[in-house]
Amino acid sequence: MDIPALQARLDEAKYICGGDVAATLLVALRLGRPLLIEGPAGVGKTEIAKVMASALDRELVRLQCYEGLDESKALYEWNYQKQLLSIQVQMNRRDADELTRSLFSDEYLLERPLLRAIRSEKPVVLLIDEIDKADEEFEAFLLELLSEMQVTIPEVGTIPARSIPFVVLTSNRTRPLGEALRRRCAYLYLQYPDIEKETAIIKAKRPNVGEHLAVQVAQAIHSLRESESILKKPSIAETLDWTSALEALGIRDLTMDAARQTMGFVLKSSEDMEAAGDVLYGQGRGCGHDHDHGHSHGQDHEHCGACGRHQA
């Protein structure tokens, strides 16, 4: 597979990206290197793992990180109830040492995402999502897997990977990641798309939406993200949700009223929704995209973010 072939597969999965992103993905895949993807929330970091699984026809194994995550949730856990039952049944039938050894076998081992990924007979895509939310101790725990493609279970020993997974780690940069982890990974930084690319994403994901509305939505989203008044910047997923909401109402032109009616699909706090009035409508004064009626030439105009033009 070369870069155009991979990009074609990503296009089939309706993931719009540039050649530089496709090149990074392909090289990381060929070298068997984990890939660390950073960027603001909602730029499509997690989506890369999903579309790569689709493009490569692999299973996606996902580990969602959070504070307090440990190896019992990420790697393995022993089935203590089954072990206890086995002890009760066999304690008078088997030698104590033999019984103890039998309790720490595959029969009693519960696979968690990391162990499942490296013990898979077929290569998988392993997504370690939002690694910055996990503790530094867990980050250090990952180093053996990322560098050697193996894990160690004290009762069992070292378990090498049966097949090499394509490992994708994502981070929203809520805390700095350690240099040891960074050295073991290829690196990709994603930013919010520009208006042209976001329009292409809308058209790919929502093919029934007209070009005019797709451009208007992309322009409005760009205005919201650029504004310092908006605290939670809209994600690409929320762009698509907004487009779907407009489509559901049969709206083909993003007027002020249409934007107000559907703003709850793109902004998720009362503060941001209130601020959106100034960003998109210019102090809440309507335009309806009918900018030429009643305006004298040379009059000062106020920006209307919903359509990218101005109103008096």
Side-chain angles (χ1 to χ4, degrees), residues 11-236:
D11 288 341
E12 288 176 8
K14 299 182 180 180
Y15 188 85
I16 309 300
C17 69
D20 53 342
V21 172
T24 301
L25 292 172
L26 181 62
V27 174
L29 178 66
R30 285 181 175 177
L31 297 180
R33 290 287 298 278
L35 176 63
L36 171 61
I37 308 177
E38 288 191 322
V43 294
K45 302 183 295 296
T46 300
E47 190 69 12
I48 281 186
K50 294 179 179 179
V51 298
M52 284 296 287
S54 175
L56 299 172
D57 193 24
R58 295 186 181 187
E59 178 187 2
L60 175 67
V61 177
R62 180 173 182 170
L63 174 64
Q64 179 63 52
C65 297
Y66 54 87
E67 187 177 354
L69 177 65
D70 59 20
E71 62 185 69
S72 68
K73 297 295 187 292
L75 181 59
Y76 77 102
E77 191 172 13
W78 294 109
N79 190 333
Y80 298 115
Q81 292 181 330
K82 189 174 181 179
Q83 287 175 324
L84 181 59
L85 180 61
S86 181
I87 290 172
Q88 293 172 340
V89 171
Q90 301 186 56
M91 62 184 304
N92 296 322
R93 303 179 185 177
R94 301 178 66 175
D95 175 75
D97 290 340
E98 181 185 353
L99 176 57
T100 300
R101 287 192 298 271
S102 71
L103 294 175
F104 296 101
S105 61
D106 270 2
E107 183 181 355
Y108 303 95
L109 187 62
L110 300 176
E111 288 184 346
R112 300 308 185 203
L114 300 183
L115 185 59
R116 179 181 167 195
I118 69 166
R119 296 217 307 178
S120 174
E121 296 293 343
K122 297 181 179 180
V124 303
V125 174
L126 172 60
L127 170 61
I128 303 175
D129 210 11
E130 298 183 310
I131 180 61
D132 53 319
K133 288 187 177 180
D135 301 323
E136 293 180 4
E137 291 79 5
F138 181 75
E139 182 184 325
F141 162 74
L142 284 177
L143 297 180
E144 180 185 18
L145 171 65
L146 298 179
S147 59
E148 305 294 336
M149 286 298 162
Q150 66 181 32
V151 295
T152 300
I153 297 177
E155 301 89 348
V156 176
T158 299
I159 302 176
R162 293 175 181 171
S163 58
I164 304 300
F166 180 57
V167 183
V168 176
L169 303 94
T170 72
S171 168
N172 296 332
R173 307 183 77 175
T174 58
R175 70 168 178 87
L177 299 179
E179 289 302 317
L181 183 141
R182 291 182 178 277
R183 284 197 302 270
R184 286 162 171 78
C185 300
Y187 183 76
L188 184 62
Y189 185 81
L190 295 183
Q191 299 182 10
Y192 288 116
D194 58 22
I195 293 174
E196 181 179 356
K197 184 177 178 181
E198 191 129 29
T199 301
I201 292 171
I202 293 171
K203 291 170 63 180
K205 295 285 190 177
R206 303 292 184 266
N208 294 327
V209 172
E211 173 84 18
H212 177 65
L213 181 59
V215 172
Q216 286 183 316
V217 169
Q219 289 174 335
I221 289 289
H222 184 75
S223 296
L224 292 170
R225 289 185 187 139
E226 289 289 303
S227 172
E228 295 182 359
S229 302
I230 303 299
L231 302 179
K232 168 63 172 62
K233 308 302 182 185
S235 67
I236 295 174

